[in-house]
Amino acid sequence: MEFTPAEVSVFFALGMAALFAGFIDAVVGGGGLIQIPALFTTLPNEVPATLFGTNKFSSIFGTSNAAWRYSRRVNMPWRTTLPAAIAAFVFSYFGAAAVAWMPPELLRPLILLLLIGAAIYTFARREFGAVHRPQHTGRREFVYALIVGGAIGFYDGFFGPGTGSFLIFLFIRFFGFDFLHASAASKVVNVATNLAAMGYFLPNGHILLGVAVLMASCNVLGSLIGTHLALRHGSGFVRKVFLCVVSVFIIKFAYDTFA
């Protein structure tokens, strides 16, 4: 099967976008900020649901790879992570359903304020996420995990951008994780929300399989690079990338809200 130069350039652009997205996702999340605009720009004639389904298919492979690699090298906080992942899986469905009666655009100003608050809090407190000191045990840990997982799962199903970054911030703020452990835990929750989304997109045929497989391969490669650097350089590296990604999110949300 032969491809035209235009098709080759599209595949190359999407592959590079998926590679970089996989890298960002593996460290702090936020790969959708790269992949989704790339898909909408290069494939403008496709139905939005199909592009979102293609993005989720690609992302889930890179995120799963990152979760697996972190679990081999980091003492995973499963007592917090698993309840959060289960709650996120369930509530992401309700978030997707809520789109029918509430436009996601109404959330933009609120999300912008939350991102600014997270960035200021992280920048001002240099010790934030530097040391892994888990807080809460027993029933309180379980309840907090369900609340965090449910809230983020609903947000991911309803809107999505910044899910990984919000998870990392919340795992540090409410559970005392460092950036590395928070990033590792967030990958497991992200896998759960992506699986829930694929439960809708795949049965309804909202996926470009050839493009999705190409992007998934590149996403995994980027994930390998990202997890390698995060594990090698630790929480300090993850913190710097987190602040960079959140800053980009703030600029994008501000532009989308006020432009």
Side-chain angles (χ1 to χ4, degrees), residues 18 54 57-58 61 207-220:
T54 302
F57 183 94
S58 167
F61 283 91
I207 186 171
L208 300 172
L209 191 57
V211 173
V213 171
L214 167 68
M215 294 183 71
S217 302
C218 295
N219 197 275
V220 169

Side-chain angles (χ1 to χ4, degrees), residues 232-248:
R232 181 176 180 179
H233 297 291
S235 290
F237 172 77
V238 179
R239 181 181 187 275
K240 292 175 183 176
V241 178
F242 174 84
L243 285 171
C244 289
V245 170
V246 170
S247 298
V248 173

Side-chain angles (χ1 to χ4, degrees), residues 15-258:
M16 292 303 296
L19 176 72
F20 189 43
F23 170 81
I24 295 297
D25 258 339
V27 183
V28 294
L33 183 68
I34 301 164
Q35 283 196 166
I36 292 175
L39 282 163
F40 273 83
T41 301
T42 57
L43 302 170
N45 297 321
E46 293 294 337
V47 177
T50 300
L51 298 181
F52 281 116
T54 302
N55 170 67
K56 286 294 186 183
F57 183 94
S58 167
S59 298
I60 198 170
F61 283 91
T63 305
S64 298
N65 172 73
W68 176 70
R69 287 177 62 83
Y70 277 122
S71 68
R72 295 180 62 197
R73 297 280 301 276
V74 174
N75 185 19
M76 291 287 286
W78 291 114
R79 290 191 306 177
T80 300
T81 305
L82 287 181
I86 293 170
F89 180 88
V90 173
F91 277 86
S92 64
Y93 173 82
F94 293 108
V99 176
W101 55 267
M102 180 179 176
E105 288 73 19
L106 295 178
L107 274 182
R108 289 191 185 278
L110 174 60
I111 301 304
L112 177 60
L113 289 175
L114 291 175
L115 286 168
I116 293 173
I120 293 174
Y121 189 92
T122 303
F123 186 80
R125 300 186 60 175
R126 298 194 63 84
E127 77 282 3
F128 183 72
V131 180
H132 187 59
R133 294 195 186 100
Q135 302 169 359
H136 312 304
T137 56
R139 182 176 298 178
R140 177 177 292 185
E141 179 183 22
F142 180 77
V143 171
Y144 279 21
L146 289 180
I147 293 172
V148 168
I152 291 297
F154 183 89
Y155 171 75
D156 192 43
F158 182 75
F159 197 55
T163 296
S165 299
F166 279 130
L167 271 172
I168 289 174
F169 180 83
L170 292 173
F171 275 130
I172 297 171
R173 177 64 182 83
F174 290 104
F175 297 100
F177 294 177
D178 63 7
F179 270 99
L180 185 61
H181 284 80
S183 182
S186 73
K187 302 302 169 287
V188 177
V189 180
N190 268 151
V191 170
T193 58
N194 286 341
L195 280 173
M198 291 308 301
Y200 168 78
F201 289 123
L202 276 179
N204 289 284
H206 292 306
I207 186 171
L208 300 172
L209 191 57
V211 173
V213 171
L214 167 68
M215 294 183 71
S217 302
C218 295
N219 197 275
V220 169
L221 179 58
S223 172
L224 289 170
I225 299 171
T227 50
H228 172 75
L229 291 175
L231 290 167
R232 181 176 180 179
H233 297 291
S235 290
F237 172 77
V238 179
R239 181 181 187 275
K240 292 175 183 176
V241 178
F242 174 84
L243 285 171
C244 289
V245 170
V246 170
S247 298
V248 173
F249 267 121
I250 290 171
I251 294 171
K252 183 182 186 304
F253 272 88
Y255 177 82
D256 292 341
T257 302
F258 302 112

